[in-house]
Structure formats: C-alpha cells, structure tokens
Amino acid sequence: MVRMPEFGKILPFPTRDAMQGAAQRGFRDSRAERNRMAPALLAAVNAYADANGGGEGYFPIPDAGLHIIRAFHEMDNHYVYQPSLCITLQGGKEILIGEETLSYGPMQCFVVGLDLPACGRIVTASPDQPFVGITVEFDIAIMREVLEKLETPVVATADPVRSMFVADVDGALADCVLRMVRLTETPQAIPILYPALMREFYYWLLSGPHASDLWRQAVPDTHLERIGRAINLLRQNFAKTLRVERLAEAANMSPSSFHQHFKALTAMSPLQFQKQLRLLEARRLLTAEAINVAEAAYQVGYESPSQFSREYSRTFGIAPKRDAMNLKAAPA
C-alpha cells in the first residue's frame, strides 16, 4: 500500500541523461519498447502461475514482495491496499476508493502510497483471455537508499491531491519486473539478487520528471508520512471511537489541516476510512469465524446490528448473512 500525477500520466521513468545510458543497453523509452516487453512479461507471469498450481487465483512469490493474480471471470475484491505498484498485463481492472474510480488496462499500473481500503474490480476477464496482474510491494528502506544516491536531487513540488494514481508502464520498468519474475527459476538467487533489482526498480521511478510524486513516500515528515501515522492508529483501533483531535495529534497537525489533508490524500474522510476498515474486518469474521451477524457487528465497533447490516449491504452489495454463505461456498 502528495499532488500525484493526473490519472493516466506516464510514470516517472528515466531523465534525459539516464535515457541516453539506457538506450546504450537497448532500452528505448517508447511505445514500441513497451509493446515488445509486454508479451515476455505476460508469458513469464503465466509460466510462474502454471508452475505453482495453475488455474486462477493468487500466486505470491516468496521472499520477493511480488504477488500475481490470474482470474478467469469478472470479480470484486475488497481489501486494504498497501503501498505498492500494481501492473495489469492482460484484461482490465477498476479501483474504487471512496467516491472515486480509477481504471487501468494492459501495461498500465495503479500506484498507491498509503494503506487504503478499496474495492479492486476485475472488469475484463474470461477463460480464454484471463485477467493477469502483478503487484510489486514498496520497500521504503531501499527507496530511501536510492534517493540518497541520486546525483540529481529530487525537487519537491506542491503536495499532491491523491496518494494514488494510474499510469503507463514503459519498457525499462517492464524489463526490470520481468527479471524479478525470472529469478523464480533460480530460487536460491532471490535473496542475493532481488535487492539489486529493487534498487534498479526505484531508480527508474525516482529519476524521472514526476519523481517528486514518489519522493514523498521515502522522505520523513511529509504530509503523506504524517497521514500514514494517523492511518496506522486507525488500523490498530478501528473498533474504538477515535476523535479527530487524537488522529490529528498522531499526524502532528491541527484538526482542520488534518481533515483537509486526509481527505485530499485518501479520497475519503477519517470516519469513512474507519467504516471501511470495520466492514472489511466484519466480512473476514463472518467468513472465517463461527459467529453471527450481530456478534460481528459488535466486535468491529457497531452498537446497532441493523445499522451495520445497512452499511454492509451498501458497501458489498449484499446482506451480510447471504454474503458470508456465498463466500464460504465459493471455491478456494
């Protein structure tokens, strides 16, 4: 799981000087290069999924912070996104965060800089042309290492409007992710070589024209980092009543400034954010634990089971009891 680039802008890849060096190694920052890399990356990801059970589902790559998903049909997944870069290789996907919807297709990615509860909706998928995607989790420690070693310092711009955006994936980054996936063919090499590939990954992200939009994830005491502290407090105490003043204190902001920045970065108010956390945990409890709807409501902080049922149905599109029955009956 910050004025981020406007949705659909190209991700920050190499600067002019960096591109000259990359061109010598065969990386051309162009649509043609991206189109050349797409089939190879898709084939490598499918090969990994086929070698690890096949079919559709979720395929984590151990010790690498990579996660592959393959789906043969349209579906919704509600969960908390962590800071990461999520690439669609085939098919199409929508992300519903607060009242906003972001869409992205093949060789585009969704970048998120905070823990955010959201609905990931696969909108284009079939058995013949499944949805295929790969997520790279952000490692802030490595990102900071790369940032400190850049010869040209990143220049901060105005704080972004959102902590998430959609962008195109260019050839250099795609090639780097491809080599990450191919490391799975030699598992013993992952602990040794993967950190170096992650440094390359962050180089492409932090040396381009929109580097300042990702810079805030690595630098302490930005508004993004402060709101992140408040989000951690919310996640640890989502079932309790938390006053805005307490959250603002965690973020070292005034209540009015905190509320403004929180909504700007997350597309929802702190109360809406907490409600999403409660409903996601309630859904987990109903599915994984042998408890009824009223007990799930009380455990996540609701005083009224009827209010809980209304808000649950509004969020997930189905009554909690029926939803739990469907989820328990669904194939693993």
Side-chain angles (χ1 to χ4, degrees):
M1 198 155 75
V2 189
R3 175 163 271 269
M4 288 296 191
E6 295 177 6
F7 303 148
K9 276 194 175 179
I10 303 258
L11 260 181
F13 297 128
T15 58
R16 180 174 299 176
D17 291 341
M19 280 305 304
Q20 290 175 352
Q24 295 174 1
R25 298 187 297 275
F27 297 133
R28 299 180 304 280
D29 188 16
S30 65
R31 184 177 298 275
E33 181 65 17
R34 184 181 66 187
N35 291 342
R36 186 185 71 82
M37 293 303 308
L41 182 53
L42 177 62
V45 167
N46 276 325
Y48 179 83
D50 291 339
N52 288 271
E56 62 179 339
Y58 177 70
F59 304 89
I61 298 179
D63 304 317
L66 296 176
H67 311 274
I68 291 166
I69 183 170
R70 187 164 64 181
F72 295 161
H73 58 282
E74 299 173 3
M75 60 188 297
D76 291 356
N77 284 307
H78 294 259
Y79 47 88
V80 177
Y81 279 81
Q82 296 180 327
S84 57
L85 184 146
C86 311
I87 303 173
T88 289
L89 303 176
Q90 184 170 272
K93 193 170 183 180
E94 293 179 350
I95 307 294
L96 283 67
I97 300 179
E99 298 178 354
E100 294 190 4
T101 300
L102 286 68
S103 301
Y104 61 113
M107 295 307 287
Q108 291 186 309
C109 65
F110 169 65
V111 181
V112 58
L114 288 169
D115 291 357
L116 291 178
C119 173
R121 177 175 294 165
I122 294 173
V123 295
T124 306
S126 70
D128 293 333
Q129 292 285 322
F131 172 87
V132 181
I134 183 168
T135 294
V136 183
E137 294 180 355
F138 285 153
D139 186 318
I140 301 303
I142 297 179
M143 187 184 289
R144 285 176 177 167
E145 283 182 32
V146 174
L147 186 66
E148 291 171 358
K149 293 180 180 179
L150 288 177
E151 293 183 3
T152 304
V154 176
V155 178
T157 57
D159 278 335
V161 172
R162 292 286 183 260
S163 63
M164 63 283 185
F165 60 94
V166 167
D168 291 338
V169 175
D170 280 340
L173 192 73
D175 179 84
C176 183
V177 175
L178 172 61
R179 283 179 281 125
M180 290 178 181
V181 177
R182 285 180 172 167
L183 269 184
T184 61
E185 299 171 5
T186 314
Q188 64 271 24
I190 293 178
I192 300 171
L193 300 182
Y194 185 76
L197 287 173
M198 284 299 293
R199 289 182 178 87
E200 179 186 343
F201 176 83
Y202 292 123
Y203 174 80
W204 297 122
L205 294 179
L206 292 169
S207 62
H210 301 298
S212 61
D213 299 308
L214 290 151
W215 163 86
R216 288 168 179 76
Q217 296 181 39
V219 175
D221 209 35
T222 59
H223 286 138
L224 183 75
E225 195 269 342
R226 291 184 183 188
I227 295 300
R229 295 201 297 263
I231 286 175
N232 287 336
L233 182 63
L234 265 174
R235 294 197 67 179
Q236 294 167 10
N237 300 276
F238 65 86
K240 301 178 181 177
T241 299
L242 289 175
R243 294 171 56 85
V244 170
E245 289 79 5
R246 176 69 184 91
L247 295 171
E249 181 183 354
N252 195 25
M253 293 180 178
S254 68
S256 60
S257 177
F258 168 76
H259 195 279
Q260 177 186 357
H261 284 94
F262 191 99
K263 190 157 189 178
L265 286 166
T266 68
M268 63 190 94
S269 69
L271 183 61
Q272 291 170 323
F273 194 104
Q274 184 181 37
K275 183 189 298 182
Q276 292 297 311
L277 294 178
R278 287 179 170 182
L279 293 173
L280 285 170
E281 174 60 10
R283 198 182 205 199
R284 187 196 69 79
L285 290 171
L286 288 169
T287 306
E289 308 287 342
I291 61 176
N292 58 36
V293 172
E295 180 61 26
Y298 292 134
Q299 284 198 30
V300 300
Y302 279 87
E303 297 180 359
S304 168
S306 60
Q307 180 188 0
F308 165 75
S309 294
R310 286 195 302 272
E311 294 186 352
Y312 190 104
S313 299
R314 189 179 304 123
T315 297
F316 300 116
I318 187 172
K321 185 175 181 179
R322 174 60 61 182
D323 188 35
M325 292 173 60
N326 290 347
L327 291 171
K328 290 177 181 178

